[in-house]
Amino acid sequence: MQMGDNHRCAWASAAPDFPDYHDTEWGFPIDDDRRLFEKLCLETFQSGLSWRTILTKRENFRCAFQHFDFNKVALFSGKDVEALLDNKGIVRNKRKILAVINNAKRALEMIEKEGSLAAFLWRYEPDESTLPPPETQTTCEESVALSKELKKRGWQFVGPTTLYAFMQSMGLINDHAEDCFMREEINKARKGFERPS
């Protein structure tokens, strides 16, 4: 797909709402804990489904999960779970819903121990010189290591492929295609980004 003389990543033409997501969100580095948690949750729901399904329901997910405020989600009760299972605007998968509530509790533990989610997650940013060409893999050494560590800390639905997709979208990796006009934009954003500590 083209935008003027600019090429986008091939996947960006797969659905009507993808170009805007591709051009304004995907790959920009993020250090906001709530946004990082939201993306981890949405990747949980996306497991086994298409990203298009999740993106079209994203606003519904935000309303259903208190805009992914992990302080609030950690307090969800059985009654809240039942309400979510009745909510036709989201993916009604009980295991995934319970995983998000569990992960909100784990997020609070992590913030207490590490200072922030961002500080912990950005420790797993891969060295770009070690990565293969863009769009050629679905995991990396760091996503495997992060998966192991999160599982050890009690997180659920955090496999290496899920976490690689998270890294791509949250800017820990620039996986825009070599000829994509956004690749250089993301490189600039990553260069100017102050890594959380």
Side-chain angles (χ1 to χ4, degrees), residues 28-39:
F28 282 99
I30 300 297
D31 63 359
D32 177 79
D33 277 3
R34 190 201 56 77
R35 285 189 62 195
L36 292 167
F37 180 70
E38 173 183 302
K39 186 61 175 164

Side-chain angles (χ1 to χ4, degrees), residues 31 35 41 63 65 75 86 88-89 105-106 125 138 156:
D31 63 359
R35 285 189 62 195
C41 295
C63 289
F65 285 94
L75 299 174
D86 283 337
K88 293 178 183 174
K105 294 172 183 172
R106 304 295 78 80
E125 177 186 11
T138 57
Q156 297 168 351

Side-chain angles (χ1 to χ4, degrees), residues 27-86:
F28 282 99
I30 300 297
D31 63 359
D32 177 79
D33 277 3
R34 190 201 56 77
R35 285 189 62 195
L36 292 167
F37 180 70
E38 173 183 302
K39 186 61 175 164
L40 283 168
C41 295
L42 293 176
E43 290 293 348
T44 292
F45 279 105
Q46 196 252 321
S47 180
L49 301 170
S50 74
W51 176 242
R52 183 182 186 184
T53 300
I54 303 306
L55 190 58
T56 56
K57 295 175 183 282
R58 183 164 63 170
E59 287 306 318
N60 298 335
F61 277 111
R62 284 173 173 165
C63 289
F65 285 94
Q66 301 286 325
H67 293 273
F68 294 100
D69 179 339
F70 36 80
N71 295 287
K72 293 177 180 175
V73 176
L75 299 174
F76 276 18
S77 64
K79 196 173 175 183
D80 293 309
V81 172
E82 291 307 313
L84 290 165
L85 289 169
D86 283 337

Side-chain angles (χ1 to χ4, degrees), residues 9 21-29 128 167-176 180-193 195:
C9 296
Y21 174 69
H22 171 275
D23 296 356
T24 62
E25 289 187 60
W26 196 75
F28 282 99
E128 284 196 281
M167 288 174 157
Q168 289 172 304
S169 61
M170 296 285 100
L172 282 83
I173 297 167
N174 183 358
D175 212 36
H176 281 275
C180 174
F181 80 99
M182 284 301 297
R183 184 165 181 81
E184 191 46 43
E185 289 296 314
I186 297 300
N187 278 337
K188 283 182 200 164
R190 282 174 45 76
K191 276 176 191 157
F193 179 70
R195 273 64 178 166

